[in-house]
Amino acid sequence: MGGRYSRWGHEPDNWDNRQDAAALALEAWPRGSGRLGQAGQWNDLDPSDRLFFVIEYDDPAGNQQKVRLEETDLALKNPLKGFLSTRWSHNPYVALTKEYLGWRSVETTAADGADKVRAYSEGHLFTAVDAHGHRYGLETRNKKVAPRVILLRSRLDDDRFFPDDLSLSDHNDQTDRYRQRIDALVKKLAAVWDNDPRVGFVQAGIHGTWGEEMRPQMTPATAQALADAFTRYFHHKKVLVRVPQYYNQAFLEARHNRFGNYTYHHYYEFGMYWDAFVWEHEMHPNWLETDTMLKMSQLWRTQPLLAEVALGSGTQAEHYATYDDCDPGMTPQEKTVCAATLNLTTPAYFNYIMDGIRTFHATGMSWLAEYDLNNPQAVAAAKEMQKALGYRYVLKEARLPRRIEPGAGFEVSFSVTNVGSAPFYYRWPVALGLLDLESKEPIWQGVFEETDLRRWFPGDDWDAEANRYRTPAAVYHERGRFTLPADLPAGQYVLALAVLDPAGMRPSLRFANEHYYPGGWTPLAVVGVGEPPRAALPAGRAMLDDPALGYDVGE
């Protein structure tokens, strides 16, 4: 400074050539003697020294505010995650329904067009019945469907769903005609389902009993034909297969491309529906080695896993309950309720399944959704399982202005963490809304253009003993720049966040925070538009379900 500043002590001296930070003394130093400097003088220090600090930044109007947000203890009914059941289910958490379609239902011969798929879908997939017996569209309840086409449920004639121009021998021998018909069918399914917002995920199905793509094992030619068809025709929906081992490059290459009876050389990335979730017979060293494949592939980062605990008789499961643990005189439906309830209310079974959800990053769980809704212990356990399944986004804090001028730009940032088990698999917009103080309805909304919630990952490497991820979930920091309309009336408003379904750009996916307004918005703070903020933030509470949420199907 050429001697123009004198408020240094006997400093700076850049001791040991590493004192590159400036510090203002709050008291004489060294303590007791003050021989090197007095309070109010400056010193140079090593930047790694640990001291109290003050940061100065430009905010001449004191216009910035920071708010902290609290997680709710509630489990939420949120899109594309959690308990799965049919569209008729009364389970309060079901937002994703799974449905089986016989091939004959959507195609009788190769000459049938996509219109038959459309007619069946409108009449059977996209409608449901409420508690009073009234039919409604899935979109009005913020539900979506994950369909699976099947050819047979068993070897019995009345359990087969073949079109007129295919036979059981075509299926078993995996003929060229069979593969060509798979391609033609998938093309028609995609023409109807790929752009329909009522379809969440698509389960490939088709081959094998219940469309499980085994019994018989798919040959390389059939596996490739099925994978090529779904890859070629579906561009907007995540496709799930029963046996990703047919296609997973890391798994196959580690085994010299040998899987079961065949050698596979074509690689694809699909999600998975695991119809015997964490069943020891499908875990190492069984030929499927599903646990090994999932851990090697890290598939969960980009593809969903829908799970189904195999409750049926003869499953011989060691770690969870099946029909065999229920009264043999019960009907199949009663046994399903019994076994599902036992798995939620027996601590050893519940903990084993929960560890599987966390370990393999499961997004959804079916069959267990049929637990006894009148059993308090089952209801409490189901709440914890719903919270663990799929994503669970918790807002931590937000920074936003106190006052915004119409027509002027402003910035909002927030931090969020995913305390669930899986990410969300579509890039839905995260929106900032300016809400009316009284009605809580949005007056204006904008989108965080750079934010991609698919990258809000949970933790990884589950430690069952400690009941936590060894790699904890990260905190993600998002920022957006916005401009209010120039003609927006001055007044008091609420700034809030929401996640929008692109089908109509309406709030659909909710943050797991305590403060919440019906209609999908998580409020941050009151702001003044064209005037100072004066009002208190209106109260709001998290809710298990929000009947106001939905999306638009379009024409």
Side-chain angles (χ1 to χ4, degrees), residues 399-444:
R399 296 175 183 269
L400 61 155
R402 300 178 187 276
R403 173 173 176 162
I404 309 171
E405 300 303 323
F410 64 99
E411 191 173 89
V412 171
S413 62
F414 66 90
S415 60
V416 62
T417 188
N418 183 355
V419 299
S421 299
F424 190 73
Y425 291 100
Y426 297 116
R427 188 171 182 177
W428 283 13
V430 180
L432 179 73
L434 192 70
L435 312 186
D436 181 87
L437 197 64
E438 300 298 327
S439 70
K440 318 298 189 304
E441 293 294 323
I443 305 301
W444 164 92

mmCIF file of all heavy atoms in Angstrom, residues 399-444:
data_model
loop_
_atom_site.group_PDB
_atom_site.id
_atom_site.type_symbol
_atom_site.label_atom_id
_atom_site.label_comp_id
_atom_site.label_asym_id
_atom_site.label_seq_id
_atom_site.Cartn_x
_atom_site.Cartn_y
_atom_site.Cartn_z
ATOM 1 N N ARG A 399 -33.300 -19.285 -0.648
ATOM 2 C CA ARG A 399 -32.939 -17.862 -0.601
ATOM 3 C C ARG A 399 -33.733 -17.141 -1.678
ATOM 4 O O ARG A 399 -33.767 -17.578 -2.827
ATOM 5 C CB ARG A 399 -31.438 -17.667 -0.813
ATOM 6 C CG ARG A 399 -30.584 -18.285 0.293
ATOM 7 C CD ARG A 399 -29.097 -18.165 -0.013
ATOM 8 N NE ARG A 399 -28.297 -18.803 1.004
ATOM 9 C CZ ARG A 399 -27.813 -18.198 2.094
ATOM 10 N NH1 ARG A 399 -28.052 -16.900 2.277
ATOM 11 N NH2 ARG A 399 -27.101 -18.857 2.988
ATOM 12 N N LEU A 400 -34.347 -16.038 -1.289
ATOM 13 C CA LEU A 400 -35.217 -15.318 -2.208
ATOM 14 C C LEU A 400 -35.313 -13.864 -1.771
ATOM 15 O O LEU A 400 -34.989 -13.525 -0.624
ATOM 16 C CB LEU A 400 -36.600 -15.961 -2.236
ATOM 17 C CG LEU A 400 -37.400 -16.003 -0.927
ATOM 18 C CD1 LEU A 400 -38.901 -16.078 -1.228
ATOM 19 C CD2 LEU A 400 -37.011 -17.219 -0.090
ATOM 20 N N PRO A 401 -35.750 -12.973 -2.663
ATOM 21 C CA PRO A 401 -35.862 -11.564 -2.280
ATOM 22 C C PRO A 401 -37.065 -11.310 -1.381
ATOM 23 O O PRO A 401 -38.025 -12.095 -1.359
ATOM 24 C CB PRO A 401 -36.031 -10.850 -3.630
ATOM 25 C CG PRO A 401 -36.595 -11.884 -4.537
ATOM 26 C CD PRO A 401 -36.036 -13.211 -4.083
ATOM 27 N N ARG A 402 -37.010 -10.219 -0.649
ATOM 28 C CA ARG A 402 -38.159 -9.788 0.145
ATOM 29 C C ARG A 402 -39.139 -8.972 -0.710
ATOM 30 O O ARG A 402 -40.345 -9.061 -0.538
ATOM 31 C CB ARG A 402 -37.706 -8.946 1.337
ATOM 32 C CG ARG A 402 -36.772 -9.660 2.286
ATOM 33 C CD ARG A 402 -36.337 -8.742 3.417
ATOM 34 N NE ARG A 402 -35.320 -9.358 4.248
ATOM 35 C CZ ARG A 402 -35.564 -10.183 5.254
ATOM 36 N NH1 ARG A 402 -36.827 -10.473 5.552
ATOM 37 N NH2 ARG A 402 -34.591 -10.711 5.955
ATOM 38 N N ARG A 403 -38.551 -8.219 -1.621
ATOM 39 C CA ARG A 403 -39.367 -7.335 -2.472
ATOM 40 C C ARG A 403 -38.936 -7.543 -3.918
ATOM 41 O O ARG A 403 -37.750 -7.669 -4.216
ATOM 42 C CB ARG A 403 -39.179 -5.875 -2.063
ATOM 43 C CG ARG A 403 -39.852 -4.867 -2.985
ATOM 44 C CD ARG A 403 -39.758 -3.476 -2.417
ATOM 45 N NE ARG A 403 -40.316 -2.494 -3.340
ATOM 46 C CZ ARG A 403 -40.692 -1.266 -2.994
ATOM 47 N NH1 ARG A 403 -40.569 -0.874 -1.729
ATOM 48 N NH2 ARG A 403 -41.191 -0.429 -3.888
ATOM 49 N N ILE A 404 -39.925 -7.602 -4.812
ATOM 50 C CA ILE A 404 -39.664 -7.776 -6.241
ATOM 51 C C ILE A 404 -40.420 -6.687 -6.990
ATOM 52 O O ILE A 404 -41.593 -6.414 -6.681
ATOM 53 C CB ILE A 404 -40.134 -9.165 -6.732
ATOM 54 C CG1 ILE A 404 -39.577 -10.277 -5.842
ATOM 55 C CG2 ILE A 404 -39.722 -9.382 -8.181
ATOM 56 C CD1 ILE A 404 -40.180 -11.645 -6.134
ATOM 57 N N GLU A 405 -39.773 -6.098 -7.965
ATOM 58 C CA GLU A 405 -40.430 -5.078 -8.762
ATOM 59 C C GLU A 405 -41.025 -5.699 -10.022
ATOM 60 O O GLU A 405 -40.388 -6.541 -10.664
ATOM 61 C CB GLU A 405 -39.442 -3.979 -9.147
ATOM 62 C CG GLU A 405 -38.817 -3.260 -7.968
ATOM 63 C CD GLU A 405 -39.870 -2.632 -7.050
ATOM 64 O OE1 GLU A 405 -40.895 -2.138 -7.565
ATOM 65 O OE2 GLU A 405 -39.668 -2.644 -5.820
ATOM 66 N N PRO A 406 -42.251 -5.323 -10.385
ATOM 67 C CA PRO A 406 -42.823 -5.820 -11.642
ATOM 68 C C PRO A 406 -41.905 -5.503 -12.824
ATOM 69 O O PRO A 406 -41.377 -4.394 -12.931
ATOM 70 C CB PRO A 406 -44.152 -5.061 -11.748
ATOM 71 C CG PRO A 406 -44.489 -4.688 -10.329
ATOM 72 C CD PRO A 406 -43.177 -4.431 -9.656
ATOM 73 N N GLY A 407 -41.703 -6.485 -13.677
ATOM 74 C CA GLY A 407 -40.853 -6.301 -14.843
ATOM 75 C C GLY A 407 -39.369 -6.408 -14.566
ATOM 76 O O GLY A 407 -38.562 -6.343 -15.496
ATOM 77 N N ALA A 408 -38.992 -6.569 -13.296
ATOM 78 C CA ALA A 408 -37.573 -6.650 -12.936
ATOM 79 C C ALA A 408 -37.156 -8.101 -12.729
ATOM 80 O O ALA A 408 -37.958 -8.950 -12.344
ATOM 81 C CB ALA A 408 -37.303 -5.835 -11.673
ATOM 82 N N GLY A 409 -35.872 -8.381 -12.972
ATOM 83 C CA GLY A 409 -35.352 -9.724 -12.755
ATOM 84 C C GLY A 409 -35.008 -9.961 -11.299
ATOM 85 O O GLY A 409 -34.696 -9.031 -10.551
ATOM 86 N N PHE A 410 -35.078 -11.219 -10.898
ATOM 87 C CA PHE A 410 -34.698 -11.591 -9.541
ATOM 88 C C PHE A 410 -34.241 -13.049 -9.547
ATOM 89 O O PHE A 410 -34.484 -13.792 -10.499
ATOM 90 C CB PHE A 410 -35.855 -11.399 -8.554
ATOM 91 C CG PHE A 410 -37.045 -12.286 -8.807
ATOM 92 C CD1 PHE A 410 -37.241 -13.451 -8.078
ATOM 93 C CD2 PHE A 410 -37.991 -11.955 -9.771
ATOM 94 C CE1 PHE A 410 -38.332 -14.275 -8.309
ATOM 95 C CE2 PHE A 410 -39.096 -12.770 -10.012
ATOM 96 C CZ PHE A 410 -39.265 -13.931 -9.282
ATOM 97 N N GLU A 411 -33.591 -13.448 -8.458
ATOM 98 C CA GLU A 411 -33.013 -14.781 -8.367
ATOM 99 C C GLU A 411 -33.557 -15.506 -7.144
ATOM 100 O O GLU A 411 -33.748 -14.904 -6.086
ATOM 101 C CB GLU A 411 -31.486 -14.685 -8.280
ATOM 102 C CG GLU A 411 -30.767 -15.994 -8.445
ATOM 103 C CD GLU A 411 -29.261 -15.802 -8.517
ATOM 104 O OE1 GLU A 411 -28.635 -15.820 -7.432
ATOM 105 O OE2 GLU A 411 -28.726 -15.616 -9.623
ATOM 106 N N VAL A 412 -33.809 -16.808 -7.309
ATOM 107 C CA VAL A 412 -34.218 -17.672 -6.200
ATOM 108 C C VAL A 412 -33.355 -18.921 -6.235
ATOM 109 O O VAL A 412 -33.107 -19.480 -7.316
ATOM 110 C CB VAL A 412 -35.712 -18.060 -6.304
ATOM 111 C CG1 VAL A 412 -36.070 -19.125 -5.264
ATOM 112 C CG2 VAL A 412 -36.603 -16.838 -6.135
ATOM 113 N N SER A 413 -32.886 -19.360 -5.088
ATOM 114 C CA SER A 413 -32.126 -20.609 -5.003
ATOM 115 C C SER A 413 -32.704 -21.470 -3.885
ATOM 116 O O SER A 413 -33.344 -20.961 -2.959
ATOM 117 C CB SER A 413 -30.642 -20.331 -4.745
ATOM 118 O OG SER A 413 -30.461 -19.669 -3.508
ATOM 119 N N PHE A 414 -32.492 -22.761 -3.994
ATOM 120 C CA PHE A 414 -32.957 -23.669 -2.946
ATOM 121 C C PHE A 414 -32.030 -24.868 -2.893
ATOM 122 O O PHE A 414 -31.300 -25.168 -3.845
ATOM 123 C CB PHE A 414 -34.408 -24.108 -3.183
ATOM 124 C CG PHE A 414 -34.630 -24.957 -4.405
ATOM 125 C CD1 PHE A 414 -34.536 -26.345 -4.344
ATOM 126 C CD2 PHE A 414 -34.943 -24.375 -5.625
ATOM 127 C CE1 PHE A 414 -34.742 -27.131 -5.467
ATOM 128 C CE2 PHE A 414 -35.157 -25.148 -6.767
ATOM 129 C CZ PHE A 414 -35.056 -26.528 -6.677
ATOM 130 N N SER A 415 -32.050 -25.576 -1.776
ATOM 131 C CA SER A 415 -31.301 -26.821 -1.626
ATOM 132 C C SER A 415 -32.276 -27.933 -1.285
ATOM 133 O O SER A 415 -33.281 -27.718 -0.599
ATOM 134 C CB SER A 415 -30.223 -26.692 -0.549
ATOM 135 O OG SER A 415 -30.793 -26.378 0.702
ATOM 136 N N VAL A 416 -31.967 -29.147 -1.787
ATOM 137 C CA VAL A 416 -32.884 -30.272 -1.639
ATOM 138 C C VAL A 416 -32.073 -31.549 -1.506
ATOM 139 O O VAL A 416 -30.955 -31.649 -2.033
ATOM 140 C CB VAL A 416 -33.828 -30.352 -2.862
ATOM 141 C CG1 VAL A 416 -33.055 -30.589 -4.150
ATOM 142 C CG2 VAL A 416 -34.905 -31.422 -2.686
ATOM 143 N N THR A 417 -32.607 -32.521 -0.793
ATOM 144 C CA THR A 417 -31.963 -33.824 -0.680
ATOM 145 C C THR A 417 -33.008 -34.915 -0.875
ATOM 146 O O THR A 417 -34.196 -34.695 -0.630
ATOM 147 C CB THR A 417 -31.260 -33.976 0.683
ATOM 148 O OG1 THR A 417 -30.483 -35.178 0.698
ATOM 149 C CG2 THR A 417 -32.258 -34.015 1.821
ATOM 150 N N ASN A 418 -32.574 -36.072 -1.348
ATOM 151 C CA ASN A 418 -33.458 -37.202 -1.615
ATOM 152 C C ASN A 418 -33.221 -38.254 -0.534
ATOM 153 O O ASN A 418 -32.225 -38.977 -0.563
ATOM 154 C CB ASN A 418 -33.166 -37.774 -3.005
ATOM 155 C CG ASN A 418 -34.087 -38.911 -3.403
ATOM 156 O OD1 ASN A 418 -34.905 -39.362 -2.608
ATOM 157 N ND2 ASN A 418 -33.952 -39.381 -4.623
ATOM 158 N N VAL A 419 -34.139 -38.370 0.409
ATOM 159 C CA VAL A 419 -33.981 -39.315 1.516
ATOM 160 C C VAL A 419 -34.694 -40.632 1.230
ATOM 161 O O VAL A 419 -34.819 -41.481 2.119
ATOM 162 C CB VAL A 419 -34.488 -38.703 2.837
ATOM 163 C CG1 VAL A 419 -33.691 -37.463 3.198
ATOM 164 C CG2 VAL A 419 -35.984 -38.381 2.766
ATOM 165 N N GLY A 420 -35.153 -40.825 -0.017
ATOM 166 C CA GLY A 420 -35.752 -42.085 -0.412
ATOM 167 C C GLY A 420 -34.711 -43.076 -0.874
ATOM 168 O O GLY A 420 -33.556 -43.061 -0.427
ATOM 169 N N SER A 421 -35.107 -43.952 -1.806
ATOM 170 C CA SER A 421 -34.217 -45.020 -2.270
ATOM 171 C C SER A 421 -33.870 -44.933 -3.746
ATOM 172 O O SER A 421 -32.984 -45.658 -4.203
ATOM 173 C CB SER A 421 -34.864 -46.394 -2.009
ATOM 174 O OG SER A 421 -35.095 -46.594 -0.640
ATOM 175 N N ALA A 422 -34.566 -44.105 -4.511
ATOM 176 C CA ALA A 422 -34.359 -44.057 -5.954
ATOM 177 C C ALA A 422 -34.582 -42.631 -6.448
ATOM 178 O O ALA A 422 -35.234 -41.831 -5.765
ATOM 179 C CB ALA A 422 -35.301 -45.019 -6.674
ATOM 180 N N PRO A 423 -34.095 -42.294 -7.621
ATOM 181 C CA PRO A 423 -34.404 -40.989 -8.192
ATOM 182 C C PRO A 423 -35.754 -41.013 -8.895
ATOM 183 O O PRO A 423 -36.434 -42.047 -8.950
ATOM 184 C CB PRO A 423 -33.266 -40.772 -9.202
ATOM 185 C CG PRO A 423 -32.897 -42.152 -9.640
ATOM 186 C CD PRO A 423 -33.114 -43.045 -8.442
ATOM 187 N N PHE A 424 -36.144 -39.870 -9.436
ATOM 188 C CA PHE A 424 -37.285 -39.785 -10.337
ATOM 189 C C PHE A 424 -36.729 -39.950 -11.749
ATOM 190 O O PHE A 424 -35.640 -39.471 -12.046
ATOM 191 C CB PHE A 424 -37.968 -38.423 -10.176
ATOM 192 C CG PHE A 424 -39.296 -38.313 -10.869
ATOM 193 C CD1 PHE A 424 -40.407 -38.958 -10.366
ATOM 194 C CD2 PHE A 424 -39.434 -37.556 -12.021
ATOM 195 C CE1 PHE A 424 -41.639 -38.861 -10.998
ATOM 196 C CE2 PHE A 424 -40.657 -37.451 -12.661
ATOM 197 C CZ PHE A 424 -41.761 -38.100 -12.153
ATOM 198 N N TYR A 425 -37.486 -40.612 -12.638
ATOM 199 C CA TYR A 425 -36.884 -41.060 -13.895
ATOM 200 C C TYR A 425 -37.289 -40.261 -15.128
ATOM 201 O O TYR A 425 -36.878 -40.608 -16.237
ATOM 202 C CB TYR A 425 -37.178 -42.546 -14.103
ATOM 203 C CG TYR A 425 -36.439 -43.390 -13.097
ATOM 204 C CD1 TYR A 425 -37.074 -43.891 -11.966
ATOM 205 C CD2 TYR A 425 -35.081 -43.648 -13.245
ATOM 206 C CE1 TYR A 425 -36.382 -44.648 -11.026
ATOM 207 C CE2 TYR A 425 -34.383 -44.401 -12.316
ATOM 208 C CZ TYR A 425 -35.043 -44.895 -11.213
ATOM 209 O OH TYR A 425 -34.344 -45.634 -10.277
ATOM 210 N N TYR A 426 -38.047 -39.194 -14.954
ATOM 211 C CA TYR A 426 -38.371 -38.309 -16.074
ATOM 212 C C TYR A 426 -38.005 -36.882 -15.693
ATOM 213 O O TYR A 426 -38.069 -36.516 -14.513
ATOM 214 C CB TYR A 426 -39.858 -38.391 -16.422
ATOM 215 C CG TYR A 426 -40.311 -39.753 -16.903
ATOM 216 C CD1 TYR A 426 -41.230 -40.499 -16.177
ATOM 217 C CD2 TYR A 426 -39.815 -40.289 -18.083
ATOM 218 C CE1 TYR A 426 -41.654 -41.749 -16.617
ATOM 219 C CE2 TYR A 426 -40.236 -41.539 -18.534
ATOM 220 C CZ TYR A 426 -41.147 -42.265 -17.796
ATOM 221 O OH TYR A 426 -41.557 -43.503 -18.233
ATOM 222 N N ARG A 427 -37.680 -36.075 -16.694
ATOM 223 C CA ARG A 427 -37.296 -34.697 -16.395
ATOM 224 C C ARG A 427 -38.538 -33.809 -16.342
ATOM 225 O O ARG A 427 -38.896 -33.138 -17.312
ATOM 226 C CB ARG A 427 -36.290 -34.155 -17.415
ATOM 227 C CG ARG A 427 -35.758 -32.782 -16.986
ATOM 228 C CD ARG A 427 -34.621 -32.280 -17.816
ATOM 229 N NE ARG A 427 -34.149 -30.993 -17.327
ATOM 230 C CZ ARG A 427 -33.116 -30.334 -17.818
ATOM 231 N NH1 ARG A 427 -32.419 -30.849 -18.832
ATOM 232 N NH2 ARG A 427 -32.767 -29.169 -17.305
ATOM 233 N N TRP A 428 -39.190 -33.818 -15.202
ATOM 234 C CA TRP A 428 -40.329 -32.949 -14.990
ATOM 235 C C TRP A 428 -39.838 -31.577 -14.516
ATOM 236 O O TRP A 428 -38.843 -31.481 -13.782
ATOM 237 C CB TRP A 428 -41.263 -33.550 -13.944
ATOM 238 C CG TRP A 428 -42.102 -34.678 -14.486
ATOM 239 C CD1 TRP A 428 -41.934 -35.345 -15.662
ATOM 240 C CD2 TRP A 428 -43.239 -35.265 -13.850
ATOM 241 N NE1 TRP A 428 -42.890 -36.310 -15.812
ATOM 242 C CE2 TRP A 428 -43.713 -36.294 -14.717
ATOM 243 C CE3 TRP A 428 -43.907 -35.045 -12.659
ATOM 244 C CZ2 TRP A 428 -44.821 -37.078 -14.407
ATOM 245 C CZ3 TRP A 428 -45.002 -35.836 -12.342
ATOM 246 C CH2 TRP A 428 -45.463 -36.830 -13.205
ATOM 247 N N PRO A 429 -40.508 -30.499 -14.911
ATOM 248 C CA PRO A 429 -40.057 -29.155 -14.540
ATOM 249 C C PRO A 429 -40.268 -28.860 -13.061
ATOM 250 O O PRO A 429 -41.282 -29.241 -12.469
ATOM 251 C CB PRO A 429 -40.924 -28.231 -15.403
ATOM 252 C CG PRO A 429 -41.555 -29.107 -16.438
ATOM 253 C CD PRO A 429 -41.654 -30.469 -15.834
ATOM 254 N N VAL A 430 -39.293 -28.164 -12.476
ATOM 255 C CA VAL A 430 -39.441 -27.605 -11.129
ATOM 256 C C VAL A 430 -39.828 -26.144 -11.302
ATOM 257 O O VAL A 430 -39.150 -25.398 -12.015
ATOM 258 C CB VAL A 430 -38.154 -27.741 -10.318
ATOM 259 C CG1 VAL A 430 -38.339 -27.140 -8.921
ATOM 260 C CG2 VAL A 430 -37.745 -29.208 -10.208
ATOM 261 N N ALA A 431 -40.927 -25.748 -10.682
ATOM 262 C CA ALA A 431 -41.503 -24.426 -10.932
ATOM 263 C C ALA A 431 -41.440 -23.546 -9.698
ATOM 264 O O ALA A 431 -41.541 -24.022 -8.557
ATOM 265 C CB ALA A 431 -42.950 -24.560 -11.399
ATOM 266 N N LEU A 432 -41.305 -22.237 -9.945
ATOM 267 C CA LEU A 432 -41.466 -21.213 -8.926
ATOM 268 C C LEU A 432 -42.804 -20.536 -9.185
ATOM 269 O O LEU A 432 -43.089 -20.143 -10.321
ATOM 270 C CB LEU A 432 -40.336 -20.192 -9.012
ATOM 271 C CG LEU A 432 -40.403 -19.046 -7.998
ATOM 272 C CD1 LEU A 432 -40.037 -19.548 -6.611
ATOM 273 C CD2 LEU A 432 -39.463 -17.908 -8.409
ATOM 274 N N GLY A 433 -43.625 -20.439 -8.167
ATOM 275 C CA GLY A 433 -44.940 -19.829 -8.336
ATOM 276 C C GLY A 433 -45.122 -18.628 -7.437
ATOM 277 O O GLY A 433 -44.613 -18.575 -6.311
ATOM 278 N N LEU A 434 -45.835 -17.639 -7.949
ATOM 279 C CA LEU A 434 -46.249 -16.485 -7.156
ATOM 280 C C LEU A 434 -47.734 -16.682 -6.870
ATOM 281 O O LEU A 434 -48.563 -16.660 -7.796
ATOM 282 C CB LEU A 434 -46.010 -15.188 -7.931
ATOM 283 C CG LEU A 434 -46.123 -13.893 -7.140
ATOM 284 C CD1 LEU A 434 -44.944 -13.752 -6.166
ATOM 285 C CD2 LEU A 434 -46.183 -12.688 -8.073
ATOM 286 N N LEU A 435 -48.075 -16.934 -5.608
ATOM 287 C CA LEU A 435 -49.427 -17.315 -5.236
ATOM 288 C C LEU A 435 -50.184 -16.152 -4.620
ATOM 289 O O LEU A 435 -49.608 -15.324 -3.896
ATOM 290 C CB LEU A 435 -49.409 -18.474 -4.227
ATOM 291 C CG LEU A 435 -48.521 -19.687 -4.525
ATOM 292 C CD1 LEU A 435 -48.760 -20.761 -3.474
ATOM 293 C CD2 LEU A 435 -48.759 -20.220 -5.920
ATOM 294 N N ASP A 436 -51.483 -16.111 -4.893
ATOM 295 C CA ASP A 436 -52.363 -15.162 -4.218
ATOM 296 C C ASP A 436 -52.366 -15.461 -2.721
ATOM 297 O O ASP A 436 -52.470 -16.625 -2.302
ATOM 298 C CB ASP A 436 -53.772 -15.290 -4.779
ATOM 299 C CG ASP A 436 -54.741 -14.321 -4.129
ATOM 300 O OD1 ASP A 436 -54.847 -13.177 -4.606
ATOM 301 O OD2 ASP A 436 -55.394 -14.723 -3.140
ATOM 302 N N LEU A 437 -52.270 -14.437 -1.934
ATOM 303 C CA LEU A 437 -52.132 -14.602 -0.485
ATOM 304 C C LEU A 437 -53.363 -15.266 0.131
ATOM 305 O O LEU A 437 -53.241 -16.021 1.109
ATOM 306 C CB LEU A 437 -51.886 -13.244 0.170
ATOM 307 C CG LEU A 437 -51.336 -13.236 1.592
ATOM 308 C CD1 LEU A 437 -49.955 -13.848 1.639
ATOM 309 C CD2 LEU A 437 -51.311 -11.811 2.137
ATOM 310 N N GLU A 438 -54.536 -15.015 -0.423
ATOM 311 C CA GLU A 438 -55.763 -15.555 0.155
ATOM 312 C C GLU A 438 -56.129 -16.910 -0.433
ATOM 313 O O GLU A 438 -56.338 -17.888 0.289
ATOM 314 C CB GLU A 438 -56.918 -14.561 -0.060
ATOM 315 C CG GLU A 438 -56.680 -13.206 0.567
ATOM 316 C CD GLU A 438 -56.529 -13.276 2.078
ATOM 317 O OE1 GLU A 438 -57.179 -14.148 2.705
ATOM 318 O OE2 GLU A 438 -55.753 -12.484 2.637
ATOM 319 N N SER A 439 -56.199 -17.001 -1.763
ATOM 320 C CA SER A 439 -56.673 -18.229 -2.400
ATOM 321 C C SER A 439 -55.586 -19.289 -2.537
ATOM 322 O O SER A 439 -55.881 -20.460 -2.748
ATOM 323 C CB SER A 439 -57.231 -17.916 -3.789
ATOM 324 O OG SER A 439 -56.193 -17.541 -4.681
ATOM 325 N N LYS A 440 -54.334 -18.905 -2.447
ATOM 326 C CA LYS A 440 -53.164 -19.783 -2.661
ATOM 327 C C LYS A 440 -53.069 -20.255 -4.117
ATOM 328 O O LYS A 440 -52.312 -21.178 -4.420
ATOM 329 C CB LYS A 440 -53.178 -21.004 -1.736
ATOM 330 C CG LYS A 440 -53.578 -20.726 -0.308
ATOM 331 C CD LYS A 440 -52.658 -19.799 0.415
ATOM 332 C CE LYS A 440 -52.977 -19.739 1.898
ATOM 333 N NZ LYS A 440 -54.368 -19.367 2.198
ATOM 334 N N GLU A 441 -53.813 -19.653 -5.017
ATOM 335 C CA GLU A 441 -53.759 -19.994 -6.433
ATOM 336 C C GLU A 441 -52.602 -19.246 -7.100
ATOM 337 O O GLU A 441 -52.311 -18.102 -6.750
ATOM 338 C CB GLU A 441 -55.069 -19.630 -7.131
ATOM 339 C CG GLU A 441 -56.258 -20.464 -6.690
ATOM 340 C CD GLU A 441 -56.112 -21.920 -7.100
ATOM 341 O OE1 GLU A 441 -55.586 -22.173 -8.207
ATOM 342 O OE2 GLU A 441 -56.501 -22.795 -6.312
ATOM 343 N N PRO A 442 -51.927 -19.888 -8.059
ATOM 344 C CA PRO A 442 -50.798 -19.216 -8.716
ATOM 345 C C PRO A 442 -51.268 -18.075 -9.615
ATOM 346 O O PRO A 442 -52.170 -18.230 -10.437
ATOM 347 C CB PRO A 442 -50.144 -20.333 -9.530
ATOM 348 C CG PRO A 442 -51.222 -21.347 -9.741
ATOM 349 C CD PRO A 442 -52.103 -21.272 -8.536
ATOM 350 N N ILE A 443 -50.641 -16.920 -9.451
ATOM 351 C CA ILE A 443 -50.870 -15.754 -10.308
ATOM 352 C C ILE A 443 -49.884 -15.774 -11.480
ATOM 353 O O ILE A 443 -50.164 -15.303 -12.570
ATOM 354 C CB ILE A 443 -50.703 -14.450 -9.499
ATOM 355 C CG1 ILE A 443 -51.617 -14.462 -8.266
ATOM 356 C CG2 ILE A 443 -50.970 -13.232 -10.372
ATOM 357 C CD1 ILE A 443 -53.090 -14.599 -8.587
ATOM 358 N N TRP A 444 -48.724 -16.333 -11.211
ATOM 359 C CA TRP A 444 -47.643 -16.420 -12.202
ATOM 360 C C TRP A 444 -46.769 -17.604 -11.813
ATOM 361 O O TRP A 444 -46.679 -17.972 -10.636
ATOM 362 C CB TRP A 444 -46.815 -15.125 -12.194
ATOM 363 C CG TRP A 444 -45.486 -15.244 -12.876
ATOM 364 C CD1 TRP A 444 -45.205 -14.983 -14.175
ATOM 365 C CD2 TRP A 444 -44.248 -15.674 -12.276
ATOM 366 N NE1 TRP A 444 -43.880 -15.214 -14.443
ATOM 367 C CE2 TRP A 444 -43.264 -15.649 -13.289
ATOM 368 C CE3 TRP A 444 -43.882 -16.084 -10.991
ATOM 369 C CZ2 TRP A 444 -41.945 -16.016 -13.052
ATOM 370 C CZ3 TRP A 444 -42.570 -16.446 -10.749
ATOM 371 C CH2 TRP A 444 -41.616 -16.406 -11.776
#
